[in-house]
């Protein structure tokens, strides 16, 4: 069973999510504030964290940032806010996925299962993938730029490995959603925001990328 921490201030919604996830076979804890959620995660880390954005005190965006500073635990936003700005801001803060309320429990459970699989080792035919001074060690789960280690989330690492396995080949956003997120249908903004976060970590200038480039109207590619 997988442990899930639900950070949601609405008692009815929190209890509903907890009961539904328990029926799906998860062990679940619930808290009503970001402060309590951060303490709970540090004391006994869950495998996945669900976060509402509209929390009292510390809001969901800051909660995500603080969770992400501590570790690479998968974070899913479950919020009534469906504005593009809010979705992008939450993903840029460090969330791995975003679902708009009301949430279908079967869909949420499927997303959680995909997140767990994403955390497993990435298999590669070679031990090291090299793109100039960018080195990717798929089996070790490590990335280095100019010899220095780079900290990536699980999703960022899977995305980078997927692109690195197909050097110079353009992969569409839909292909990346299917291969990295394992979604047949999904929000392509997930790909765009994660590519942007990757660029900040592996490019000398994320505004003028030379490794992870955009091919207009087609998608993204990693080039040597």
């Amino acid at each position: 069973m997988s442990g899930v921490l639900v950070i949601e201030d609405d008692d009815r919604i929190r209890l509903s999510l907890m009961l539904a996830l328990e029926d799906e076979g998860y062990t679940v804890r619930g808290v009503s504030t970001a402060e309590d959620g951060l303490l709970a995660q540090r004391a006994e880390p869950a495998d996945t964290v669900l976060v509402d954005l509209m929390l009292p005190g510390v809001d969901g965006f800051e909660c995500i940032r603080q969770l992400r500073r501590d570790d690479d635990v998968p974070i899913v936003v479950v919020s009534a806010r469906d504005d593009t700005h809010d979705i992008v801001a939450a993903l840029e803060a460090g969330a791995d996925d975003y679902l708009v309320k009301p949430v279908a429990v079967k869909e949420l459970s499927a997303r959680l299962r995909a997140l767990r699989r994403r955390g497993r080792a990435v298999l590669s035919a070679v031990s090291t993938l090299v793109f100039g001074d960018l080195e990717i060690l798929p089996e070790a789960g490590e990335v280095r730029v100019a010899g220095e280690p780079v900290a990536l989330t699980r999703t960022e690492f899977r995305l980078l490995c997927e692109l690195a396995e197909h050097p110079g080949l353009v992969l569409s956003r839909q292909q990346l959603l299917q291969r990295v997120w394992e979604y047949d249908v999904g929000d392509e903004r997930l790909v765009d925001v994660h590519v942007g976060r990757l660029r900040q970590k592996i490019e000398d200038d994320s505004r003028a990328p030379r490794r992870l480039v955009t091919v207009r109207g087609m998608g993204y590619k990693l080039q040597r």
Side-chain angles (χ1 to χ4, degrees):
M1 290 190 295
S2 175
V4 179
L5 173 63
V6 179
I7 307 176
E8 165 66 64
D9 67 313
D10 186 304
D11 295 339
R12 180 182 56 82
I13 294 175
R14 185 176 65 255
L15 181 59
S16 175
L17 282 172
M18 292 175 66
L19 291 174
L21 289 172
E22 285 172 353
D23 286 343
E24 291 288 312
Y26 296 92
T27 57
V28 189
R29 289 175 293 155
V31 296
S32 60
T33 67
E35 293 88 339
D36 286 344
L38 293 167
L39 289 172
Q41 181 64 8
R42 288 165 186 157
E44 187 179 346
D47 298 312
T48 311
V49 180
L50 307 186
V51 182
D52 183 28
L53 294 181
M54 295 181 287
L55 296 170
V58 174
D59 66 17
F61 299 104
E62 181 58 26
C63 180
I64 294 167
R65 282 188 284 269
Q66 291 192 36
L67 285 167
R68 185 57 67 222
R69 281 198 290 267
D70 289 341
D71 58 39
D72 69 345
V73 61
I75 301 170
V76 179
V77 171
V78 180
S79 175
R81 296 167 70 163
D82 59 357
D83 181 77
T84 293
H85 173 78
D86 290 328
I87 294 171
V88 171
L91 294 171
E92 288 180 340
D96 295 279
D97 204 348
Y98 194 111
L99 291 173
V100 177
K101 298 174 183 175
V103 176
V105 174
K106 292 295 183 183
E107 179 184 4
L108 174 58
S109 184
R111 299 284 182 101
L112 296 182
R113 288 195 298 270
L115 279 171
R116 289 188 68 196
R117 290 193 295 269
R118 205 178 306 160
R120 296 172 185 166
V122 179
L123 299 179
S124 173
V126 295
S127 59
T128 306
L129 300 164
V130 180
F131 294 78
D133 62 356
L134 170 65
E135 296 178 277
I136 306 163
L137 292 76
E139 292 184 357
E142 297 177 5
V143 175
R144 301 173 189 150
V145 174
E148 295 297 320
V150 177
L152 301 182
T153 67
R154 304 179 196 192
T155 303
E156 291 165 353
F157 183 71
R158 283 290 295 265
L159 176 59
L160 182 59
C161 285
E162 186 62 43
L163 290 162
E165 290 282 3
H166 304 86
L169 179 67
V170 180
L171 296 179
S172 70
R173 292 170 176 82
Q174 192 58 44
Q175 285 176 311
L176 291 169
L177 275 174
Q178 292 171 341
R179 297 179 185 184
V180 178
W181 281 264
E182 301 184 22
Y183 299 162
D184 291 329
V185 178
D187 191 333
E188 293 184 353
R189 287 173 294 190
L190 285 172
V191 179
D192 294 335
V193 173
H194 279 82
V195 165
R197 280 166 39 185
L198 259 182
R199 283 173 171 163
Q200 292 174 8
K201 297 179 180 182
I202 68 170
E203 297 282 0
D204 296 327
D205 183 353
S206 61
R207 294 168 297 180
R210 59 185 179 84
R211 296 188 185 100
L212 208 176
V213 299
T214 303
V215 179
R216 188 177 296 277
M218 296 180 66
Y220 298 105
K221 67 178 179 179
L222 193 65
Q223 59 187 14
R224 291 189 164 92

